[in-house]
Amino acid sequence: MPEHAYMAQDGTGGDGDRRRGGDDDRRTAEADAGLKADAIGFLDALVIGLNSTSPAYSLAAVIGPIVAVAGIYAPGVMLASFVPMLLIAAAFYYLNKVDQDCGTTFSWVTRAMGPWAGWFGGWAITMTGVLVIGSLADVAVRFGLLAAGLDGLAANEAVRQALAVVVILAMTAVCVIGTEMSARVQDVLILAQVVFLLVFAVAAIYRVYAGTSGLGAVRPSVEWLNPFGAGGAALTGGLLLGVFIYWGWESAVNLTEEVEDSATAPGKAGIWSTVVLLVTYLAVGYAVVAYAGTGFLARNAGQEEAVFALLAHDVMGGWDWMVLLAVCTSALASTQTTIIPASRTALSMARRHALPPSLSRIHPRFRTPDVSTWWVAGIAIGWYLVVNQISENALLDSLTALSLLIAFYYALTGLACAVYYRRHLLDSWHNFLLIGLGPVVGAGLLTWLLVESVKDMSDPQTSAGGVSWLGISPPLLIGIGIAGVGVLVMCFWRLRDARFWQERRGVADPALVPGRHRPSP
């Protein structure tokens, strides 16, 4: 998709004209340069997609709460959570084939359903980054200090917050310097993370069968893969948590303009990311549940330090630093990769006149969206520092609100896929099942989860430990607040520049539909 050039208009003459003309030419050249094409390959995109989900941290944060609601059937719940993710990943793949735009959901929903829906999809993606980047950096710092044996500093909020800000700035600089550098950093981080997790899982399973577990060990069983084993209510609660652990794989698709074979490789990377995550989660989930038993995990639900710090020490003794470092590298990698979709979406929105044009600037040397990247980081830092001053639980509440935004824009993307290809869904069974029915079912499941989340969060007694803001739970209020701010920003910019809202919806070009070819002239 070509970049838009934004040139100043003035009526001065003489040297002023030449100076302004030079500035205009420079800005035009920067915009025309675009993002750096073919900067990374399929494997790099796959690694970035994996790291965006922060597997080690996601497991540490969610395994306890899932066990608390589903018991030994926690692996089955993680398996069930994979289904809507795979169906939405298919939607990302097929939409990317017709539109290799780094704005992904924003661009695709705009094409299929119009600018209003598209704008909100882009806003949701950008805000997820703002909400979670600070928390990821905080986790990276805390577990890094614990791995180094600096427990006192890890407990010091002022030190931890200062270091978290430094981490965000450093990861933002890596994103700006270049996509290739980002990919190299991600390769190292994912390797360390996977190796440490596998060592931990193997050691835990070995000790279970050796009978040397210090906790309530349980022999693993295939029956644990039954998501309905704990009942329907437990499945619902577990699925709400399961969406979080898979979220982030689409970062690979946000790099579509910078990946080799951009029409297919990013989408494949997204799909394979979900598959690799499923295998990782099931392996480590089995090991953790088998070694610790349900009692320990349920008692420490939500306390990631208890699960992957105390448990790591019990499993590996003096080598527990490996597991702590795995969580650290996981959160560190995700801090960087979470900046990517937010900044690329802001870039895409700006160059189509949906946000201020300054956000569409491409760095002339690094050919990355430097302005939008720094803006995302700056807002994320501000959010992180502010919510930490509100209460101890405010940061956790903002993360809980993520489920609303994630379910919303994933469901919107699945629906957009079916709408965009609507005239070709009956051309073949392939189209009907993979481009129509699958994404719609995925969107339906996520919409159901969204509704269930809102119901749960509307009661402070059940969703926030009794804490109430204006009569509802803090996470729901944060979600409503983000939606409200989005409406105000959208309306303000609509009055300033209406060009984006004048776009019309489209349908799939027959030449780009799988299994069809452009008719001969």
Side-chain angles (χ1 to χ4, degrees), residues 81-268:
S81 301
F82 165 75
V83 175
M85 290 299 102
L86 181 63
L87 296 176
I88 297 303
F92 270 76
Y93 172 77
Y94 285 108
L95 286 169
N96 182 73
K97 291 190 72 171
V98 296
D99 185 7
Q100 295 86 56
D101 190 294
C102 65
T104 60
T105 294
F106 159 73
S107 180
W108 303 332
V109 174
T110 298
R111 275 174 171 257
M113 304 168 67
W116 296 94
W119 197 97
F120 257 108
W123 176 258
I125 294 176
T126 304
M127 288 300 102
T128 55
V130 168
L131 289 179
V132 79
I133 288 172
S135 175
L136 291 169
D138 187 279
V139 169
V141 168
R142 185 165 73 252
F143 275 84
L145 293 172
L146 289 173
L150 303 174
D151 297 23
L153 291 179
N156 189 310
E157 289 190 11
V159 171
R160 197 173 67 245
Q161 290 177 24
L163 291 176
V165 171
V166 172
V167 166
I168 295 173
L169 294 175
M171 291 297 99
T172 304
V174 171
C175 290
V176 170
I177 289 173
T179 306
E180 299 102 319
M181 181 177 180
S182 296
R184 299 293 85 78
V185 172
Q186 293 297 314
D187 290 343
V188 173
L189 294 176
I190 193 66
L191 179 62
Q193 183 180 167
V194 169
V195 169
F196 293 154
L197 281 177
L198 288 178
V199 170
F200 169 73
V202 171
I205 291 295
Y206 171 79
R207 294 194 62 181
V208 168
Y209 282 96
T212 58
S213 170
L215 300 172
V218 183
R219 288 290 181 97
S221 170
V222 177
E223 178 64 20
W224 293 3
L225 290 176
N226 178 12
F228 302 99
L235 176 61
T236 301
L239 286 175
L240 294 173
L241 295 167
V243 168
F244 173 77
I245 64 175
Y246 287 100
W247 168 67
W249 49 265
E250 77 275 10
S251 293
V253 191
N254 284 101
L255 292 169
T256 183
E257 298 179 31
E258 302 156 85
V259 178
E260 298 172 359
D261 191 14
S262 62
T264 58
K268 289 180 180 178

Side-chain angles (χ1 to χ4, degrees), residues 379-462:
I379 298 174
I381 290 172
W383 177 266
Y384 167 69
L385 295 176
V386 168
V387 296
N388 268 295
Q389 302 305 314
I390 296 175
S391 72
E392 294 181 359
N393 294 324
L395 189 61
L396 178 60
D397 291 332
S398 69
L399 295 181
T400 305
L402 274 178
S403 63
L404 303 176
L405 300 178
I406 296 168
F408 170 73
Y409 79 80
Y410 274 173
L412 199 60
T413 306
L415 184 59
C417 182
V419 172
Y420 185 74
Y421 283 106
R422 61 189 179 275
R423 296 182 183 175
H424 305 284
L425 295 181
L426 300 181
D427 289 352
S428 66
W429 279 105
H430 171 280
N431 287 7
F432 177 74
L433 294 175
L434 299 184
I435 305 178
L437 183 62
V440 169
V441 170
L445 289 172
L446 289 166
T447 300
W448 168 66
L449 290 176
L450 176 62
V451 172
E452 290 298 318
S453 294
V454 171
K455 288 181 180 178
D456 290 343
M457 294 179 187
S458 64
D459 184 359
Q461 298 301 320
T462 60

